[in-house]
């Protein structure tokens, strides 16, 4: 894998993690699926039953695409080994922090 592609993949991981957590943390409008009523809803929090993972995945994919687009425009030459190491560290940190946030919210 080329260093630019690796940097873009790391940016996509950071963007997806932050975009996935954003609607829940900031109480944004989100797409929910209500399995009892079998319908899609849009709202900040429509109740305890509707599941918001579909909207969160869409937010995550959108943020990942934006992050990759920014990296593709900004990075013109091959990044150094330090930049590559920092990008990998940021990607892992973002995934761990968002995973810990959702794990903590599920704690009784």
């Amino acid at each position: 894998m080329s260093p630019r592609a690796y940097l873009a993949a790391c940016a996509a991981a950071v963007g997806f993690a932050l975009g996935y957590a954003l609607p829940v943390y900031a109480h944004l409008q989100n797409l929910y699926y209500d399995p009892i009523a079998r319908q899609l809803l849009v709202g900040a929090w429509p109740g305890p039953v509707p599941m918001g993972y579909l909207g969160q995945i869409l937010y995550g994919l959108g943020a990942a695409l934006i992050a990759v687009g920014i990296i593709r425009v900004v990075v013109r030459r091959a990044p150094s080994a330090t930049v590559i190491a920092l990008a990998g560290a940021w990607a892992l940190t973002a995934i761990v922090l968002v995973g810990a946030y959702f794990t903590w919210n599920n704690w009784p």
Side-chain angles (χ1 to χ4, degrees):
M1 176 182 283
S2 73
R4 286 185 66 210
Y6 179 78
L7 195 61
C10 289
V14 170
F16 183 85
L18 295 179
Y20 187 84
L22 183 67
V24 174
Y25 184 75
H27 303 288
L28 299 175
Q29 296 288 321
N30 196 5
L31 179 66
Y32 288 87
Y33 175 67
D34 189 352
I36 296 173
R38 293 187 178 162
Q39 62 182 357
L40 294 172
L41 307 167
V42 175
W45 193 73
V49 174
M51 301 176 285
Y53 67 91
L54 293 174
Q56 287 175 266
I57 289 173
L58 290 176
Y59 268 99
L61 289 175
L65 288 174
I66 290 170
V68 168
I70 290 171
I71 289 296
R72 289 293 187 185
V73 168
V74 171
V75 177
R76 293 289 181 195
R77 58 185 174 90
S80 67
T82 305
V83 172
I84 289 173
L86 282 173
W90 274 109
L92 291 175
T93 302
I95 292 168
V96 167
L97 286 177
V98 169
Y101 174 75
F102 283 104
T103 301
W104 182 259
N105 283 335
N106 287 331
W107 203 266

